[in-house]
Amino acid sequence: MDKEGTPTDFIRQIVAADVAAGKNGGRVQTRFPPEPNGYLHIGHAKAICVDFGIAEEFGGTCYLRFDDTNPTKEDEEYVEAIKRDVRWLGFDWGDRLTHASDYFPQMYELAVHLIRAGKAYVDHLSTEEIREYRGTLTEPGRESPYRNRSVEENLELFERMRRGEFEEGECVLRAKIDMASPNINLRDPPLYRIRKVPHQRTGTTWCIYPLYDFAHTLSDALEGTTHSLCTLEFEDHRPLYEWFLDNLPVPHRPRQIEFSRLNLMYTQMSKRRLRQLVEEKHVEGWDDPRMPTLSGFRRRGYTPESIRDFIRRIGVTKKEHMIELGLLESCIRDDLNVRAERRFAVLDPLKITIVNFPDDEVEWLEAANHPSRSELGTRTVPFSREILIERSDFMEDPPKQFHRLKPGGEVRLRYAYIIKCEEVVKDAAGNVVELKCSYDPTTRSGSGDEGRKVKGTIHWVSARHAARAEVRLYDRLFKVPFPTGESLEDELNPSSLEIVEAAVEPALADAPPESHFQFERNGYFFVDPVLSRPGKPVFNRTVTLRDSWAKLEKEALSGAAQG
Ligand code: ATP
Ligand code: MG
């Protein structure tokens, strides 16, 4: 880390060395190239922080470039969502918003250039035949019978492909490299295929579309990318990337550098799988707070700062690894601990009658909004004869170390008094329905003399004053540590969402959407921007106060390492 806490990883070292050596005239230009076929997930956040972050640190620029080369899967809704999420994360592409499709005319010319140079040909093998001819990791491929067509014939056929004279799948344009290469990506990779589908930007101008490697390399090289940062699965594609740069008259020579993907336990990040979750309605949408999408995290109450902090903490390396959710959760806890005001909310209420408190009296007690940030001030909370506490804060027959309320026992009500449980009231079925307690008026909090000390302190709300609010408690979307997404029925956690009606202190009824609170002892909560109505907030639990999963995750990881 340097003095500002900015990591100095291997990519930053390479970029710094390139700048020092005067490569590209000292210029640094990167790009984040999402395909608009789904919403961004937290894995993308890593790529965004790397691409935009490095450009920013070196005084360079970063483009947001949509990789829109597959008109059958892409949609304008995704384009808008991606822009919103990149901005939310705190990055700005300025006027550097581009699309692979912006370069379609030049790409076509460059494909013609390859044909003229005898380095590309139109192949009439079917998709299955091409796959079969390609060979395997251990066997070389076979040359297509169409491989040695003349330049003139190829030029004419490619032109006819462009004019729409062939059907989808009838032929493709392939680079002519080496069918025996140990690197399968160099075995005459397809460059163009036919797709008779209107494109969201270019309409029906084209019926042939460039394939990923060709389109991606050329977009980089035409746009002036200096450092093309991508994930490790593209390492084997780098020789092809460089083959294009070596064989085409392009104005720039970007350098591709790969880093490992972000993998999170209990999380599935393939966009295809995420789309399936949405389409099959396992979740309420792409922005369901259980989804690992940036819009899901936002709705859950994660802050962009906490996600950037998380990405900074995991660092950038070439090592494949699995990150524990606990690390992400500790980033948001650290951020919200500073940011969030404290409030009282009782999620599972049990009624207490304070028998020696007058029925018609209300005492307004002062409560701090934050334990260490006094500038956040205080609020008053009403105390009255009937209060509600958390059902789990009472035990009729508790173990020794239980310091909350038990028959005959005492507990402090935070910001109020010490109460003593005098009587347990049960219904016919034997369930505890109410406690009758007495309070000790000499023990008022903040009075300068709190009187006696007791071991336990609990939160509470005045029953008469409490507002009712919907609270959504989220748990892991997947119950298995390393979900494949292949068998959702077995892998999804059936209790990933629990909705409760909580009793909250009166001030919370007016909580504006998108505000963060710590409900004391219950976790951090966020006012849902979609479901809340004026005076009727819906609270999403962003994260619990403690990491209750750490042990399980450690066990799963060590199991995976052994197995
Ligand atoms: P998916 O497999 O989820 O569909 P993708 O890689 O196909 O993801 P793109 O839209 O092509 O999705 O991704 C844009 C950029 O984000 C790429 O440069 C890709 O390397 C990067 N990226 C995607 N997933 C991750 C991840 N888990 N960690 C880091 N970077 C990622
Ligand atoms: Mg991709």
Side-chain angles (χ1 to χ4, degrees):
M1 301 262 181
D2 72 7
K3 60 181 189 310
E4 271 142 18
T6 309
T8 51
D9 50 69
F10 79 103
I11 299 184
R12 287 169 163 94
Q13 285 165 14
I14 293 173
V15 174
D18 284 352
V19 170
K23 284 193 192 157
N24 307 298
R27 205 169 50 85
V28 173
Q29 184 178 316
T30 60
R31 80 288 165 280
F32 172 62
E35 185 179 354
N37 61 349
Y39 279 55
L40 296 181
H41 52 62
I42 184 123
H44 292 117
K46 178 174 179 180
I48 295 169
C49 289
V50 169
D51 292 324
F52 279 92
I54 289 181
E56 212 168 279
E57 284 156 45
F58 286 90
T61 49
C62 180
Y63 281 65
L64 172 60
R65 185 176 71 222
F66 286 103
D67 172 31
D68 56 348
T69 50
N70 186 356
T72 55
K73 284 202 263 161
E74 294 155 9
D75 197 282
E76 196 57 28
E77 177 200 347
Y78 300 136
V79 169
E80 288 312 312
I82 290 170
K83 291 202 260 185
R84 202 180 319 128
D85 289 346
V86 172
R87 243 183 249 124
W88 175 74
L89 205 53
F91 297 102
D92 182 7
W93 57 87
D95 56 1
R96 294 170 295 277
L97 178 76
T98 54
H99 301 80
S101 59
D102 299 340
Y103 307 108
F104 282 174
Q106 287 115 300
M107 288 178 195
Y108 180 79
E109 290 308 319
L110 290 165
V112 169
H113 179 97
L114 280 181
I115 297 173
R116 287 220 164 86
K119 291 172 181 165
Y121 61 99
V122 172
D123 195 351
H124 273 80
L125 287 183
S126 68
T127 314
E128 297 76 58
E129 286 167 327
I130 289 180
R131 194 175 306 128
E132 202 185 303
Y133 276 60
R134 194 163 50 210
T136 63
L137 284 174
T138 49
E139 288 164 43
R142 275 180 296 147
E143 294 189 352
S144 161
Y146 304 101
R147 195 175 197 259
N148 293 314
R149 280 172 159 161
S150 69
V151 168
E152 288 67 34
E153 189 182 1
N154 281 316
L155 283 173
E156 193 206 315
L157 288 170
F158 188 47
E159 170 61 18
R160 289 178 56 200
M161 274 173 70
R162 187 184 71 78
R163 283 206 304 261
E165 293 181 20
F166 298 111
E167 293 311 311
E168 283 190 14
E170 208 179 330
C171 51
V172 293
L173 182 73
R174 297 178 72 176
K176 190 170 179 177
I177 308 181
D178 178 6
M179 287 307 291
S181 171
N183 184 334
I184 293 183
N185 294 303
L186 295 178
R187 294 183 190 167
D188 292 9
L191 305 180
Y192 268 92
R193 64 178 164 188
I194 299 167
R195 276 278 179 280
K196 296 195 168 172
V197 179
H199 183 279
Q200 73 267 25
R201 291 185 64 85
T202 59
T204 52
T205 307
W206 300 93
C207 63
I208 54 170
Y209 291 94
L211 279 119
Y212 180 82
D213 287 302
F214 189 67
H216 189 77
T217 312
L218 295 190
S219 304
D220 281 351
L222 293 167
E223 200 161 86
T225 303
T226 59
H227 297 86
S228 180
L229 312 176
C230 61
T231 35
L232 274 179
E233 70 270 24
F234 295 107
E235 198 167 25
D236 291 345
H237 296 240
R238 182 159 20 103
L240 178 57
Y241 192 93
E242 292 179 346
W243 187 88
F244 290 134
L245 298 179
D246 289 339
N247 287 283
L248 287 167
V250 283
H252 300 280
R253 195 180 170 89
R255 174 171 183 176
Q256 178 177 308
I257 308 169
E258 311 86 14
F259 59 92
S260 59
R261 291 175 88 84
L262 166 63
N263 299 307
L264 261 186
M265 288 177 75
Y266 295 95
T267 309
Q268 180 45 245
M269 273 195 274
S270 138
K271 273 187 281 184
R272 191 163 61 85
R273 297 292 180 203
L274 297 181
R275 190 176 321 111
Q276 188 186 354
L277 288 171
V278 174
E279 283 170 359
E280 294 177 4
K281 302 208 185 315
H282 297 287
V283 292
E284 291 173 11
W286 283 96
D287 67 347
D288 186 301
R290 292 166 292 179
M291 288 281 272
T293 51
L294 293 181
S295 50
F297 280 114
R298 174 168 61 232
R299 234 185 111 180
R300 173 110 168 218
Y302 274 71
T303 59
E305 290 82 359
S306 68
I307 291 180
R308 294 202 306 265
D309 181 34
F310 169 66
I311 302 296
R312 198 158 40 233
R313 288 200 214 175
I314 59 178
V316 183
T317 66
K318 270 193 176 294
K319 224 178 94 184
E320 287 289 5
H321 49 185
M322 199 37 94
I323 307 289
E324 290 163 57
L325 269 179
L327 180 63
L328 177 61
E329 293 187 344
S330 79
C331 292
I332 185 64
R333 274 190 204 104
D334 287 354
D335 189 35
L336 293 179
N337 180 36
V338 176
R339 201 186 281 269
E341 293 199 0
R342 275 45 172 180
R343 293 289 185 271
F344 284 164
V346 175
L347 303 184
D348 183 13
L350 173 64
K351 180 176 148 188
I352 289 186
T353 303
I354 299 177
V355 291
N356 57 339
F357 195 88
D359 196 19
D360 50 356
E361 209 170 290
V362 179
E363 227 181 288
W364 289 85
L365 301 165
E366 190 171 32
N369 286 331
H370 196 278
S372 59
R373 293 180 60 200
S374 54
E375 76 275 15
L376 293 179
T378 59
R379 66 194 189 282
T380 53
V381 290
F383 184 70
S384 66
R385 184 177 163 92
E386 285 185 357
I387 64 167
L388 302 169
I389 66 163
E390 217 64 71
R391 187 165 288 278
S392 58
D393 281 337
F394 171 77
M395 275 183 92
E396 199 170 11
D397 189 15
K400 216 165 163 243
Q401 62 279 26
F402 185 82
H403 296 307
R404 291 162 281 161
L405 208 51
K406 59 188 172 198
E410 286 188 323
V411 78
R412 172 169 290 283
L413 298 178
R414 187 149 160 84
Y415 297 120
Y417 298 95
I418 291 175
I419 56 169
K420 181 177 183 188
C421 178
E422 307 284 358
E423 188 189 337
V424 180
V425 183
K426 295 184 182 173
D427 64 12
N431 301 309
V432 177
V433 290
E434 184 187 343
L435 303 176
K436 298 208 187 286
C437 297
S438 59
Y439 88 114
D440 179 347
T442 69
T443 58
R444 187 170 146 178
S445 293
S447 61
D449 174 15
E450 298 200 343
R452 292 164 296 121
K453 291 241 178 302
V454 289
K455 281 219 167 123
T457 301
I458 62 174
H459 64 280
W460 54 277
V461 293
S462 163
R464 176 149 43 105
H465 300 87
R468 296 284 159 171
E470 179 177 321
V471 172
R472 298 186 151 220
L473 305 171
Y474 298 104
D475 201 346
R476 308 285 190 268
L477 182 55
F478 289 93
K479 65 182 177 197
V480 295
F482 313 109
T484 60
E486 273 154 33
S487 168
L488 292 175
E489 303 306 322
D490 299 328
E491 294 186 338
L492 283 174
N493 174 6
S495 38
S496 57
L497 168 61
E498 188 194 347
I499 301 180
V500 299
E501 196 193 50
V504 303
E505 61 173 87
L508 281 174
D510 301 316
E514 301 186 19
S515 40
H516 300 276
F517 295 100
Q518 185 196 94
F519 291 172
E520 297 211 17
R521 302 176 61 233
N522 275 322
Y524 291 100
F525 291 77
F526 185 63
V527 183
D528 190 290
V530 180
L531 300 171
S532 298
R533 296 286 168 267
K536 274 258 155 246
V538 172
F539 294 94
N540 291 325
R541 184 166 67 196
T542 309
V543 68
T544 54
L545 290 181
R546 263 172 302 277
D547 186 354
S548 50
W549 283 73
K551 193 160 163 275
L552 279 178
E553 288 193 324
K554 290 271 179 314
E555 279 168 12
L557 278 179
S558 71
Q562 282 157 17

